[in-house]
Amino acid sequence: MNAPENQPGDGATGPAESLPAVAPQLRALRRRAALTLEGAARAAGLSAAHLSRLETGQRQPSLPMLLALARVYGTTVGELLGERVPDRDAVVRAADMEPTAAGGWTYWQAGVPGRGMQALRVHVPYGSQGDIVRVHPGEEWLHVLKGRLRLRLGDTTHRLGPGDSAHFDSLTPHLLAAEDDGGAELLFVHTLLQSPTATLCLGPTFGETS
């Protein structure tokens, strides 16, 4: 009997009995993305043989594998697992946006929950968390509505005013701070799947394990 193939992040070797919907869903989403088995496996950092075993239920995917495949297929881990979200209204009314505080910031949900992207309207007060550097998976896009924002990406500092935008990989160490006493107002979109906004606002900080 051949030894199990060594794949990064693979902690299971048996059939995916506890996740019966995963195998056909993986295959269906790959085909929806018009990818061959070899092309999808290469993009996700897997071998074609290993992906084939995932699609036939002979192996159970680990979370890192699901995250990688979700990125390749342009979907969410929830959809890979066969979850179905009830139909939601595409419009979010201003009157329905309840302010929530997290780490001194105030944010309003500007999108519906459960999507691959999460949209927020954010108020960053002056001096709040101005020294916290964050590093985490995903992408972030922000647009300054009011005030001035200091954005540090790696070793480079940018100063943004109303109408300015930034789009960056969240694995780049980054810091956001308001430059004015009145703070800064932002539109903010991120791809932190299943991450509460408090985690987004409060960290993890640079040097911690994300």
Side-chain angles (χ1 to χ4, degrees):
M1 183 175 182
N2 293 331
E5 183 177 349
N6 184 21
Q7 291 287 345
D10 184 13
T13 58
E17 295 177 357
S18 61
L19 299 172
V22 174
Q25 188 74 353
L26 289 176
R27 185 168 52 251
L29 289 171
R30 174 175 61 79
R31 290 174 176 171
R32 187 183 75 180
L35 290 170
T36 65
L37 189 69
E38 292 76 12
R42 183 168 56 252
L46 303 172
S47 70
H50 192 81
L51 181 56
S52 177
R53 285 195 284 272
L54 294 178
E55 289 189 356
T56 55
Q58 298 175 47
R59 298 292 290 271
Q60 179 174 327
S62 64
L63 179 58
M65 288 181 186
L66 289 173
L67 288 169
L69 289 169
R71 285 193 295 269
V72 171
Y73 299 157
T75 186
T76 66
V77 171
E79 188 174 11
L80 287 179
L81 294 175
E83 295 177 359
R84 291 292 180 267
V85 180
D87 290 339
R88 292 158 292 197
D89 194 339
V91 175
V92 180
R93 301 294 180 185
D96 297 329
M97 295 184 188
E98 294 291 336
T100 304
W105 294 18
T106 303
Y107 67 90
W108 296 258
Q109 291 284 354
V112 293
R115 300 293 193 189
M117 296 188 302
Q118 296 183 41
L120 308 167
R121 184 164 61 88
V122 181
H123 174 74
V124 183
Y126 179 75
S128 178
Q129 305 183 54
D131 58 350
I132 294 181
V133 179
R134 301 169 179 80
V135 181
H136 49 78
E139 291 183 37
E140 298 183 27
W141 175 89
L142 60 87
H143 179 83
V144 180
L145 297 172
K146 181 181 179 182
R148 294 181 301 161
L149 184 77
R150 184 172 79 255
L151 171 65
R152 197 174 96 197
L153 294 174
D155 296 327
T156 304
T157 298
H158 307 271
R159 285 176 169 79
L160 285 69
D164 293 337
S165 301
H167 187 177
F168 54 92
D169 188 325
S170 305
L171 285 175
T172 301
H174 53 284
L175 177 152
L176 285 75
E179 292 273 87
D180 299 326
D181 291 342
E185 300 282 343
L186 314 175
L187 288 179
F188 192 92
V189 176
H190 67 92
T191 60
L192 293 176
L193 300 179
Q194 308 303 320
S195 295
T197 304
T199 300
L200 175 74
C201 292
L202 295 174
T205 58
F206 186 44
E208 296 178 349
T209 302
S210 57

